Every structure is written in structure tokens, then in C-alpha cells.
Amino acid sequence: MAEILKHAVPKAEVAASLDQVRETVAGVIADVRERGDAAVREYSEKFDNWSPGSFRLSTEEVEKIVASVPQQVIDDITFVQEQVRNFARHQLDSMGEFEVETLPGVRLGQKHIPVQAAGAYIPGGRYPLTASAHMTIVTAKVAGVPRVVACTPPIHGEIPAATVAAMHLAGADEIWLLGGVQAVAAMAVGTATMEPVNLIAGPGNAYVAEAKRQLFGEIGIDLFAGPTEILVLADDQAAPFVCAVDLLSQAEHGPDSPAVLITTSREVAEQTIAEVERILPGMPTRDYAEPAWRHHGQVHVVGSVDELYELADAFAFEHVEVLTAEPRLALERMTQYGALFLGEGTCVSFGDKVIGTNHVLPTRGAARYTGGLWVGKYLKTVTYQEVTDTASQALLGRLCGRASRVELFEGHARSGDVRAARAAGDALPWHEA
């Protein structure tokens, strides 16, 4: 049995908070549907204190903003985007198209078609998340999406130059300084100035995640990527200082970001808690990291490695960092996670910022049924069929007739009957010639 040294707030409190988020988001989406650009502008003024003449940046404005960014930042963005692009290309190469002849003259095929317009949401607010531009836009372009609309909010009324540079270098076709629910709604339903997209990708706060949830079906979404989660798995060989630093690295994302430690060592658990308490007061992002740890941090002590992985899978967390003597064992033992980070040399922050795998990952248990954003999310895997052999047409027509009548689908049956009649002269008792 696991022993819990630190509890999170009750789930009922989290659920109550989400109810308020749902209500607010529904109101904004309905308003944008009805009033379009006017509503978008009002919400941008209200939430971001931002109301320019045009939310979309012109080519000249983008070039001027990019030119203002230090060359080292540009070089770093370019390097990281190449890592993301390279990994996405390998993913694309792993996806095969094929055509196979299953019967004489019966050809079945599969191909991948990119969505024609994708929306990339790059969070802003407190942090200029340039890395989200790499993950959403670069990956879409590798998939072959012809139109990528990228939205990011201003930060304290200012243009986030590095983020704009990242969006531009990633290949965005349209760059909009617009954030929050109003940006997601505008991309989804369209306005007089923004054509709607087919799919929206990218992380965001609880409001952005809820907007994507409510609009799903009307448009596609990548996944439900809400507040960041980190799960650290440690044995008695793990360094409590490293555990603490890495837990807080994700807690600083926001006051609702869960940070959880599961360990086989009570000593590691206690020392990690002590290290967190020592580090927190001096963190520049303490105002986010501290409430995240206080309200959503957890520490569990388990009796064995088997229990460690069993409990880890039950969490189904976004990021799972494995600080054990045999970290690659997690590849065999775990099935429910967004991304694994194996060994002390591989921190979650590498995945967030620089290593090349995608950081848009499932949260709130969504790892039970989906992985993270990847090149395949921007592709529609479609099929096609062709029957050119008359004997096969007759065979399939007769079979279709019988199978359809078992299900009482007479119209379907007659379509099959007609193929058998035209290919082999079968009678059509239901048709008066």
C-alpha cells in the first residue's frame, strides 16, 4: 500500500473551479458566434488590454519585429525548430500509404491528406512560450498543411517579439496578436476578418482548453492540453535535490499545475519535500510555483518498483520523469503517459524547450486514450476502393445483397444486386424491367 506524505486539494474543489470556467467559456464562444470581430475586440480589451487597428500582423510588421530580436535568440530558435522538424519528418516517414489487390480487380488503398487550414495557439500571458510555436506550426508544415493561422496574446500590452519571430520562422501563414478564448473561438467559427480553420492545436490555460473542448466536433482539435503535469518516479538512488528542482520546474507553469513524486524510498520523499521548501522562497516564479505545490503537489511512498509503476499508470500524467537505477524499465512497464523522460540526464524541461519531441501532451487523464501532438494529428488518413474485374463485381454484389438483407437494409442490398446483374446477368426480382 502506498503512503501519502503530501496530499493535493480535494477533487471536488477542482471540479467546482472547472464549472465556472465552462460557464465563462460558453458565454464568450456564443458572443463571438453572434457578433464576430466586435466581440473579439471587446474580449481582447477586457482580458489583455489590447485593441490594435488590426490583430493580424502585416508582413512588414512581422519583419520589423523579427529584426528587433537578438541574433542569439534567432539562432537558438532556428536550432530548436530544426530538432522539432527532424523528429516530425521521421514521424511522417513512419506513416505508409499503400494500395493492395485483395481479390482479382479489387484494389483498396490508403493515403494521408493534410487538413487544409490549421490554427496554432501559442500561449502568452505571463510567459512568451516560443517553444509552442515550434511544436504547433513546424509540425503542421511538415505534415503539409497549406494554411496555418497562428495566434498569441500580447504580454502586458506589449508585443512578444521572440514569439512572433518563432511563429514566422516556423512558417506561419498568418500571425495574429490575439489570445484566450476569443482567439480560439475566432479561429474555429471565423469572423469577417479571419477565415475559420479545420483544426486547432496548442496548449493553453484552463479557459483555452475548455474552449477547445466545447468547439470539438465543429472543428478538430489536437487533444485536451490543460494545466501542465509532472510525475517524478524515484528509487533510493535518486537525488532529492534533482527531484525537487524538476517538480518545481513544471509547477511554475501555473498555480493549478500538479507536481507529483512517487518513490520507493521514504528518505527520498522526505528530503525532496524539504528541498522544495528550501528552494521555493527564492524562486522568481514563486507566485505560481508555490500555490501549485501547496494545492496540487503530492508525494507517495510505495513498497516496491511494481507498485511504483502501477501507481504511475493510474495517474496517466502528461510528463513522467524516471529517476531510477533502471529508467528504461518504464518503457516496458508503463502504458499511460504523454511522454517519458528517462534517467537523470533527461529532464522534462528538455522536452518542453529544446530536444525535438512535441511538448503538446495530454493532461487530466487523457493519456489513457491518446498520445501527444504529432505530425499525424494534421493528417486525415483516408481510404479508397476500386473494383474493375466483373467476376469480383458479381461476387461482391451477391454477398452485399445477402449481408444487407440480414440487416434489413433493402436499399443497400439492391445496390449490390445491380452490380451482380450488370457484371454477370443476375436477375433483379424487385425490378420490373
Side-chain angles (χ1 to χ4, degrees), residues 6-48:
K6 185 184 184 308
H7 291 265
V9 296
K11 290 184 177 180
E13 291 185 28
V14 177
S17 175
L18 289 176
D19 287 342
Q20 185 271 325
V21 170
R22 292 189 186 101
E23 184 178 343
T24 300
V25 168
V28 173
I29 292 174
D31 201 11
V32 172
R33 284 189 195 280
E34 182 177 349
R35 298 193 298 122
D37 286 324
V40 168
R41 185 168 295 279
E42 285 183 18
Y43 289 115
S44 182
E45 290 176 342
K46 177 180 179 181
F47 297 127
D48 290 326

Side-chain angles (χ1 to χ4, degrees), residues 72-131:
Q72 184 65 64
V73 175
I74 296 294
D75 291 346
D76 290 345
I77 288 172
T78 301
F79 176 85
V80 174
Q81 288 186 351
E82 188 53 36
Q83 309 316 302
V84 175
R85 187 175 293 109
N86 183 54
F87 190 72
R89 284 171 177 159
H90 281 295
Q91 289 181 322
L92 184 63
D93 290 344
S94 75
M95 301 177 65
E97 295 189 353
F98 63 85
E99 182 176 288
V100 60
E101 189 172 27
T102 57
L103 293 168
V106 178
R107 282 176 282 276
L108 308 181
Q110 170 180 292
K111 62 182 298 185
H112 306 296
I113 302 174
V115 298
Q116 295 303 288
Y121 187 81
I122 293 88
R126 173 170 182 161
Y127 302 120
L129 293 183
T130 58

